Amino acid sequence: LSLSLPPRSQPILFFLRVPFLTAQPNISPPVRSWTAVDVGNWTAQLVAPLNRYSRLFSKQDISGDVLGSLTKDMLRDVGVKEEDCEALLSKVLLLRLEAQRELVQNLQENVPENIMEALKAARKSSASNESAPQNTPVAL
């Protein structure tokens, strides 16, 4: 087995293969990928009186990508009562925050324990290369 190193005039690039970035996390699909039926089902699970908008959201074809960008004016335009707009927007915000929390938690649980050691070793190697009298930058 032989290794061929790049000439010293070229930057050295380090690539870490991180399986947790390519693996499908075990979480629900992102809200933005929900269909209008998914949004309708989510709305149906809300407490009364907000759950009454389930059919309205499905009928208006409000999908996940639209759900995240709804405003109070948009809700009023599709027929949501004034007093329910703020509550619905709050629920959408909570949904988005929960999805982000779930994603972060999943990433934390799937990060290999030795990833920090690998990063520290790469930084240390880079620092020792920089201390050598060279005019060649080291790219990480």
Side-chain angles (χ1 to χ4, degrees), residues 10-64:
Q10 295 179 356
I12 299 171
L13 300 174
F14 293 93
F15 295 96
L16 296 174
R17 186 179 177 122
V18 185
F20 71 89
L21 291 178
T22 56
Q24 289 292 345
N26 189 18
I27 60 173
S28 57
V31 174
R32 68 180 174 274
S33 68
W34 284 5
T35 65
V37 172
D38 295 328
V39 172
N41 290 339
W42 171 76
T43 311
Q45 296 174 8
L46 297 176
V47 296
L50 302 179
N51 58 358
R52 69 176 162 208
Y53 297 110
S54 175
R55 277 195 253 156
L56 175 68
F57 276 34
S58 294
K59 182 180 174 184
Q60 292 293 328
D61 202 28
I62 296 176
S63 60

Side-chain angles (χ1 to χ4, degrees), residues 104-122:
V104 167
Q105 180 180 0
N106 186 274
L107 288 174
Q108 287 173 340
E109 290 171 358
N110 290 299
V111 172
E113 290 188 19
N114 61 356
I115 191 77
M116 290 309 293
E117 287 82 15
L119 290 172
K120 287 177 185 176

Side-chain angles (χ1 to χ4, degrees), residues 8-12 130 134-139:
R8 297 295 275 173
S9 62
Q10 295 179 356
I12 299 171
E130 289 174 4
Q134 299 177 27
N135 291 331
T136 307
V138 175

Side-chain angles (χ1 to χ4, degrees), residues 65-98:
D65 59 338
V66 174
L67 185 66
S69 61
L70 287 175
T71 64
K72 194 173 184 177
D73 289 337
M74 293 167 78
L75 288 172
R76 280 193 304 250
D77 289 346
V78 297
V80 175
K81 291 183 178 183
E82 179 74 30
E83 61 269 14
D84 295 334
C85 289
E86 290 293 327
L88 269 172
L89 290 174
S90 295
K91 293 294 185 183
V92 170
L93 180 59
L94 287 173
L95 176 69
R96 293 173 66 193
L97 289 173
E98 177 61 23

